Amino acid sequence: MKEASYLALTQESLPPRLAGIPAVTERLGRAHDTWRVKEVGDGNLNLVFIVESSEGSLIVKQALPYVRLVGDSWPLPLYRAFYEFNALMRQAQRDPGAVPEVFHFDEDQALIVMEFLSPHVILRNKLIAGEKVAGLGAFCGRHCARMAFRGSELSMKSADKKTDVGVFAGNIEIPAITESLVFTDPYFDAEMNTHTAGLDPLVAKLRSDVALKCAVQSMLVKFSSNTETMLHGDLHSGSIMATETDIRIIDPEFAQYGPMGFDIGTLTANYLMAYFSQPGHRGADLERYQDWILSVITDSFEAFDAEFRRLWATERSGMLYPKSLFEDQGHGSEPACNAMLEAIWQDAVQFCGIEMHRRCLSLAHNADFETIKDAQTRAGLEARNLEMGATLILSADKVKTSQALCALARTFNGKDVL
Ligand code: SR1
Ligand code: MG
């Protein structure tokens, strides 16, 4: 990438700068001075523009050379847009229709022009507002299974997969954010950490728990060295957009090769945080809505399991567990599939607990809790979430099923931890 030519877009500069791109004018028309542009980026890193004309609409996402949330004191390479673009291409191929369509990529300007999803809303906002999305668990579970399986050497040719691991290995700084913010900073008094007043005794307890730190670091070993499949890498309810019935996965700029349980584990954590935060958002219908969130979790794992087994039976063409070793010898491979799913589940449970911790203890908290204005209420709800997170990290082997996970959530939801 020629960093020298990079220039961050503004609402004013965007139309003339994109007016020469056929993929853009095909959708918006040539009268760029009539385009309406709005910067809507509310994430932690990038610029995001909605561009509309009388002929159509699209999204322009551009990386900034620093972390937007923090400012230019934290530089971040523009090359991350290259990995996001490549991840979107692979996601579209491995789970058609699950991600926005990409119309154009400019590597020098670190920008991606893509489909404007409308009237889709960020799922996190729906969960805070108490809105349901039909088929959410089934869609997300199926998507995670397709990405896990089709990005691995269960399906891919070994040479292709290893080459792709090499491609994504060039993305160093983005995984480094996760390695510190998610796996390390929550467990000591790191510079950028914040937590809600009132949580001090619980935070001190967690930070003095050596077994907990060891367990989390052992998951960091997996996260940083196990290259099972291409991950989304930051799959939370802010990385999903939905209407009542349509769902898309967005924002894979944290894509890397990693363990299969990571995405579904972190997504589950975000459902659990939505669950625990609900008393801060509603009174009426509270229990019924919380039950629905838990049903999304069980639906997700059921769909993951079913889709992974289907792909195991129909698309197992890679180097791992080859048919030549099992079916062709008259040996069933179901025990191997069971064992693999069991290992994914155990990893997912621990990654889930870690994500539950980092969103309350490190940088980049989530709106589920942050929008609860009363700090005492918020602390009480976050405490339930933190305690359950620790249980998941330390006792994952005792949580055998998604039903057991949800039963545990109900138990912590009834506890006054503080
Ligand atoms: C400095 S970036 C902080 C967080 O924002 C992203 O969405 C990821 O979740 C990252 O951990
Ligand atoms: Mg993101």
Side-chain angles (χ1 to χ4, degrees):
M1 183 189 298
K2 298 188 284 304
E3 300 232 344
S5 71
Y6 169 86
L7 212 53
L9 291 163
T10 63
Q11 295 190 165
E12 294 69 36
S13 68
L14 186 149
R17 284 186 54 196
L18 270 64
I21 300 171
V24 173
T25 52
E26 271 163 30
R27 287 165 181 93
L28 298 178
R30 292 182 175 281
H32 70 265
D33 47 350
T34 66
W35 298 354
R36 297 177 298 282
V37 186
K38 200 166 154 208
E39 208 279 310
V40 293
D42 64 351
N44 297 327
L45 300 179
N46 306 296
L47 294 169
V48 182
F49 300 90
I50 298 172
V51 192
E52 293 174 294
S53 76
S54 55
E55 295 180 35
S57 60
L58 43 78
I59 288 284
V60 177
K61 179 172 180 180
Q62 187 181 36
L64 284 165
Y66 53 84
V67 175
R68 185 176 184 165
L69 173 71
V70 175
D72 53 14
S73 61
W74 187 347
L76 203 60
L78 296 170
Y79 66 57
R80 66 187 188 272
F82 167 85
Y83 296 103
E84 176 162 9
F85 166 70
N86 275 282
L88 281 163
M89 294 294 102
R90 285 152 183 73
Q91 290 171 318
Q93 196 191 4
R94 291 170 194 166
D95 191 10
V99 298
E101 188 184 344
V102 173
F103 301 138
H104 176 75
F105 172 55
D106 182 335
E107 190 174 351
D108 290 341
Q109 296 304 322
L111 71 81
I112 302 171
V113 180
M114 61 188 130
E115 183 183 1
F116 173 39
L117 300 174
S118 178
H120 299 64
V121 170
I122 291 288
L123 176 63
R124 196 185 301 285
N125 297 337
K126 283 186 169 288
L127 297 173
I128 292 170
E131 294 168 18
K132 295 181 181 174
V133 177
L136 179 61
F139 174 89
C140 291
R142 202 167 49 231
H143 173 74
C144 288
R146 287 178 182 172
M147 296 307 299
F149 193 96
R150 291 177 171 156
S152 78
E153 283 165 292
L154 287 168
S155 159
M156 287 176 80
K157 286 198 182 77
S158 233
D160 293 345
K161 191 260 183 177
K162 287 182 168 83
T163 304
D164 216 38
V165 170
V167 170
F168 279 83
N171 192 10
I172 296 162
E173 280 81 357
I174 287 279
I177 291 177
T178 306
E179 289 154 13
S180 54
L181 290 194
V182 178
F183 290 93
T184 311
D185 290 3
Y187 302 101
F188 78 108
D189 190 15
E191 200 187 332
M192 290 181 295
N193 286 352
T194 57
H195 61 256
T196 302
L199 286 175
D200 285 1
L202 178 53
V203 174
K205 186 179 95 171
L206 294 173
R207 288 187 179 153
S208 64
D209 188 334
V210 178
L212 182 70
K213 290 195 282 190
C214 287
V216 173
Q217 287 296 299
S218 78
M219 296 312 287
L220 175 54
V221 172
K222 283 194 184 175
F223 177 74
S224 57
S225 54
N226 171 335
T227 60
E228 266 175 347
T229 195
M230 191 198 79
L231 305 178
H232 178 286
D234 194 26
L235 191 56
H236 52 72
S237 51
S239 304
I240 297 174
M241 293 187 77
T243 64
E244 267 171 43
T245 53
D246 187 55
I247 306 156
R248 305 288 188 97
I249 308 293
I250 62 166
D251 233 6
E253 69 198 313
F254 280 70
Q256 66 168 79
Y257 274 81
M260 290 182 178
F262 185 78
D263 282 342
I264 193 160
T266 54
L267 181 56
T268 301
N270 281 268
Y271 290 139
L272 287 171
M273 289 185 277
Y275 171 81
F276 284 121
S277 67
Q278 287 303 316
H281 300 301
R282 65 192 34 78
D285 220 23
L286 172 64
E287 255 179 69
R288 254 198 299 167
Y289 193 64
Q290 282 186 307
D291 283 346
W292 177 76
I293 296 176
L294 294 185
S295 77
V296 172
I297 294 176
T298 50
D299 288 355
S300 300
F301 281 101
E302 266 167 38
F304 185 98
D305 189 272
E307 183 67 358
F308 195 91
R309 288 180 190 283
R310 187 184 73 78
L311 297 172
W312 182 279
T314 58
E315 293 188 14
R316 211 170 79 249
S317 52
M319 163 279 276
L320 295 173
Y321 301 97
K323 293 200 166 156
S324 55
L325 203 58
F326 290 91
E327 285 81 357
D328 295 355
Q329 307 298 326
H331 301 151
S333 63
E334 206 192 333
C337 184
N338 292 343
M340 198 147 187
L341 281 165
E342 170 62 21
I344 294 170
W345 164 256
Q346 286 297 306
D347 283 357
V349 170
Q350 288 188 292
F351 287 130
C352 175
I354 295 165
E355 172 78 359
M356 290 163 85
H357 279 176
R358 75 95 165 207
R359 291 288 182 190
C360 295
L361 301 178
S362 175
L363 181 76
H365 291 208
N366 62 28
D368 309 65
F369 288 125
E370 291 298 295
T371 52
I372 300 171
K373 295 231 162 47
D374 181 63
Q376 209 181 334
T377 305
R378 187 167 73 242
L381 301 176
E382 287 181 316
R384 293 172 179 170
N385 172 68
L386 289 169
E387 286 277 28
M388 177 163 172
T391 300
L392 296 183
I393 295 164
L394 288 168
S395 307
D397 57 332
K398 296 195 183 73
V399 187
K400 303 274 186 215
T401 63
S402 59
Q403 287 77 10
L405 183 91
C406 292
L408 203 59
R410 288 183 212 283
T411 305
F412 280 99
N413 189 51
K415 274 192 182 175
D416 279 325
V417 177
L418 288 181

